[in-house]
Amino acid sequence: MEEPWDFEFLSRIVDGFVSFLSEFVDDWLANDMRVSIFKILFSWLVVSLIAIHFAWRVYGNTVNDMYYRQGHVAESDGGVSRESAAGDTIKTHRE
C-alpha cells in the first residue's frame, strides 16, 4: 500500500528547487564564459520562437489552406471526397 506524501518529502523538493534557483542566479550574475554562452543561446531560442509565432500569424492561414486545398484526388486515398458540379472528385477536410 502506498504511503501518502508527507511534508518532509515536499520540503526536500522545495529546498532542492530553491537551492538550484539560488545557484542559477549566482551563476547568472557572474561574468563567466559559460553564462555568456548560455545567455546567447537562450536569447537565440527566445527570438526564434517569437519569429515563428509572428510568421505563423502572418502565413498560418495560407499554410492551412495549402494543406487542405481543394483538388483532384483518387478514390483510394482514404480522403473524404465529394462530387463537384463538373463531376470531378474534390477532396475536403475530414471531420
Side-chain angles (χ1 to χ4, degrees):
M1 179 176 262
E2 294 182 31
E3 296 181 19
W5 289 26
D6 56 351
F7 181 71
E8 182 181 339
F9 178 70
L10 290 176
S11 67
R12 283 185 184 178
I13 290 177
V14 170
D15 288 340
F17 185 69
V18 168
S19 67
F20 170 76
L21 283 180
S22 66
E23 288 180 26
F24 183 80
V25 168
D26 291 341
D27 285 343
W28 186 269
L29 296 176
N31 287 327
D32 190 13
M33 182 58 76
R34 325 176 268 146
V35 176
S36 300
I37 292 172
F38 176 78
K39 287 178 182 179
I40 291 169
L41 292 175
F42 186 70
S43 301
W44 175 78
L45 177 68
V46 169
V47 168
S48 297
L49 289 175
I50 291 171
I52 290 169
H53 175 74
F54 285 121
W56 185 254
R57 281 186 162 237
V58 172
Y59 297 109
N61 290 334
T62 304
V63 172
N64 197 30
D65 290 343
M66 288 171 58
Y67 183 73
Y68 292 115
R69 68 176 175 236
Q70 307 268 332
H72 300 287
V73 296
E75 288 294 326
S76 63
D77 74 341
V80 179
S81 57
R82 61 181 171 83
E83 294 294 323
S84 70
D88 298 331
T89 302
I90 298 177
K91 187 172 185 175
T92 59
H93 177 66
R94 295 184 197 177
E95 293 188 28

